[in-house]
Amino acid sequence: MKRLLILFTAMLFHYACSETKSVVVENVPTIYYEASTRGFFLAIKVENQVLYTSNERGFKEYSNKLVLSEEEWAEISTLAKAVDLAKVKDLNWPTEKRYYDGAAHANIIFEAKGIKYPANGFDHGFPPTEIEKLVNKITKLAEK
């Protein structure tokens, strides 16, 4: 009887944890970030607790994969869910250094439920204030 109770409790715990995790992942948009200039290229994709990167223009597949810790994923999830996807296209960039090669040109696209929400572009390292913490977090993780 004890074994049955322990087995039942373990199954219930496993089911509860897996349900919670899948709900969290579903509500987080996939994030695509690219920055480029003549001598620099960086592509980042954040999806389902994994950060993918590539430094090759015209890449077919991301060359690096980083599985995020629970803490990193929780922070990214919170920051990404706080973004108003309908207003991403209207974000204002704080600098214009990319116009004279002072910074790489960067862009971010959020994808949720099959719909893509692109930004207008901004300087790499100087994102719009509404997404600054999120962009800084994923670009810092991409350096690992």
Side-chain angles (χ1 to χ4, degrees):
M1 185 69 173
K2 276 186 176 180
R3 287 183 186 166
L4 186 58
L5 182 61
I6 291 171
L7 180 62
F8 177 73
T9 305
M11 286 175 39
L12 183 63
F13 179 75
H14 175 73
Y15 177 75
C17 289
S18 64
E19 279 298 307
T20 303
K21 194 171 189 177
S22 66
V23 169
V24 170
V25 169
E26 285 179 17
N27 293 330
V28 178
T30 301
I31 302 165
Y32 300 92
Y33 178 86
E34 279 194 12
S36 66
T37 189
R38 284 182 247 183
F40 172 77
F41 181 80
L42 173 64
I44 302 171
K45 176 182 173 183
V46 181
E47 180 179 52
N48 298 333
Q49 203 169 343
V50 180
L51 184 135
Y52 302 92
T53 61
S54 181
N55 295 106
E56 298 176 32
R57 294 179 197 276
F59 67 97
K60 302 241 188 265
E61 290 185 25
Y62 290 91
S63 53
N64 301 308
K65 175 182 173 180
L66 173 67
V67 177
L68 302 171
S69 70
E70 292 294 329
E71 295 82 25
E72 292 166 337
W73 179 245
E75 184 178 356
I76 289 172
S77 298
T78 301
L79 294 170
K81 287 188 225 176
V83 175
D84 185 349
L85 298 179
K87 294 182 180 179
V88 168
K89 67 182 180 329
D90 300 322
L91 296 177
N92 294 316
W93 51 85
T95 61
E96 296 179 347
K97 295 179 179 191
R98 65 192 176 283
Y99 293 143
Y100 57 85
D101 288 339
H105 184 276
N107 202 357
I108 192 165
I109 299 172
F110 297 89
E111 184 176 359
K113 299 178 183 173
I115 301 171
K116 292 188 178 184
Y117 301 89
N120 284 326
F122 50 90
D123 294 340
H124 177 63
F126 304 94
T129 55
E130 298 87 348
I131 59 172
E132 181 176 20
K133 289 181 183 177
L134 175 63
V135 170
N136 289 342
K137 180 67 177 179
I138 64 174
T139 55
K140 185 175 180 178
L141 287 170
E143 294 173 1
K144 282 188 173 183

